[in-house]
Amino acid sequence: MSDDVKVLSAQLAQDPQSLVFLRLGELLRQRGLLDAAHRVAINGLERHPHLADGHDLYARILADKRDYERAFDEWDMTLRIAPAHVGALKGLAFLYFKVGDLQQAVAHLEQASREAPDDPGIGQALVMVRGGDSAGAARGLGVGRETPPPAPAPTPAGPLDEARVFAGLEGAQEGLLLLDASGRVLGGALRDGSNNDVTEPVAAYRAGVSQEAARTAKLLGLGTWTGLAAEGRQGHVHLAQPSADSLLLVVRDRSVPMGRLAIIAQRAAQAAQRWLAKQA
């Protein structure tokens, strides 16, 4: 371990609330120590969940690990907290470029340029994006890796069939489950900690949960229930109703904060609403 990493690690150990985790995480990321950087970012965000720079750091680490969907969510969260955050604008531009949406990539870069007119990397990235140079754009933006990290990387996010309901959303193939009023699975899938498919058993239980939520909301005078969140030792769950005749279940591990889980559930519910409208 290099001296600077040791120094920053010691400072963070002495004061876990310190924002030095931003410098340490970025240093580890730049040196390709992505798992260590990931742990530092997660621990920092647990203590500072509303810190825009923390979400930006985590997004860059995820992008380096080729986890583009979660990186998109983190940069989106960054802009929700700080709408003019240059790092997030550059990061989203990179991701839009990766999926071939040049218009959005250029729009984000132009906004970043307005916020940071003296940043030469943004101008370089604009030239590279317009010329289709992925590696050059990554260098100009300071995000992504030109070569894969040593550990096996997740499959890059790509456009999914709209019939899958959750097209383009984080974890679209797993961890999201849409059911109709009779308990029939309309989209998504769920797996347990041992990677066993538990979609159907979960679907069989969902009616009781929905009824209990509605009954409790009525007894407490809260009106119609719109969401239900629960924390577990191994993960978190969020339940929502995209429509009166459907139920949406979102499951994530404990590394995903409850606040971000609610945002993921909101996006998934919106996607489900669009899909259900097409089927009507």
Side-chain angles (χ1 to χ4, degrees):
M1 184 182 296
S2 64
D3 289 342
D4 44 2
V5 170
K6 288 181 180 179
V7 170
L8 292 174
S9 297
Q11 291 177 8
L12 188 60
Q14 190 173 31
D15 180 11
Q17 294 292 333
S18 172
L19 296 184
V20 75
F21 85 89
L22 295 170
R23 292 164 54 199
L24 177 59
E26 177 61 15
L27 182 60
L28 292 169
R29 184 190 77 86
Q30 291 177 357
R31 297 185 178 183
L33 302 174
L34 299 183
D35 289 340
H38 186 277
R39 289 192 296 271
V40 169
I42 287 294
N43 290 336
L45 282 173
E46 286 180 352
R47 293 176 171 84
H48 305 280
H50 304 298
L51 182 64
D53 286 343
H55 289 281
D56 177 48
L57 168 65
Y58 188 30
R60 279 181 276 128
I61 294 167
L62 291 170
D64 282 2
K65 298 180 78 170
R66 306 297 176 90
D67 193 345
Y68 297 131
E69 291 182 46
R70 294 180 71 182
F72 184 97
D73 279 338
E74 287 300 318
W75 273 316
D76 183 64
M77 173 69 79
T78 303
L79 289 183
R80 288 172 181 265
I81 299 170
H85 196 285
V86 174
L89 291 169
K90 291 161 66 174
L92 288 174
F94 171 73
L95 294 183
Y96 277 120
F97 178 61
K98 291 289 290 184
V99 299
D101 192 338
L102 298 185
Q103 183 176 357
Q104 281 293 334
V106 169
H108 279 73
L109 285 174
E110 289 177 341
Q111 184 179 349
S113 181
R114 290 192 293 271
E115 299 296 338
D118 297 327
D119 186 336
I122 298 175
Q124 175 190 345
L126 269 169
V127 173
M128 298 302 175
V129 165
R130 287 167 174 152
D133 183 348
S134 177
R139 286 193 301 271
L141 294 171
V143 297
R145 294 172 65 94
E146 295 177 50
T147 57
T155 303
L160 299 174
D161 186 346
E162 184 64 22
R164 295 190 70 98
V165 184
F166 304 117
L169 293 179
E170 173 193 342
Q173 299 180 46
E174 291 180 9
L176 293 168
L177 187 62
L178 179 67
L179 309 164
D180 67 9
S182 64
R184 181 169 62 95
V185 177
L186 300 176
L190 295 178
R191 293 185 177 275
D192 63 14
S194 301
N195 204 36
N196 300 311
D197 190 324
V198 293
T199 302
E200 294 301 331
V202 170
Y205 281 103
R206 69 90 199 161
V209 176
S210 177
Q211 291 168 4
E212 285 301 319
R215 186 178 298 114
T216 301
K218 182 177 181 180
L219 288 172
L220 293 174
L222 301 177
T224 304
W225 77 280
T226 58
L228 177 66
E231 296 187 43
R233 291 185 177 179
Q234 303 300 323
H236 303 315
V237 175
H238 195 286
L239 203 62
Q241 278 190 307
S243 70
D245 300 321
S246 66
L247 191 73
L248 171 70
L249 184 65
V250 184
V251 181
R252 291 292 183 271
D253 62 38
R254 288 187 62 85
S255 68
V256 179
M258 290 298 291
R260 192 161 78 87
L261 180 61
I263 293 174
I264 294 172
Q266 181 184 37
R267 291 179 184 163
Q270 291 171 349
Q273 289 170 351
R274 292 192 296 270
W275 187 85
L276 290 166
K278 289 181 180 180
Q279 313 309 306

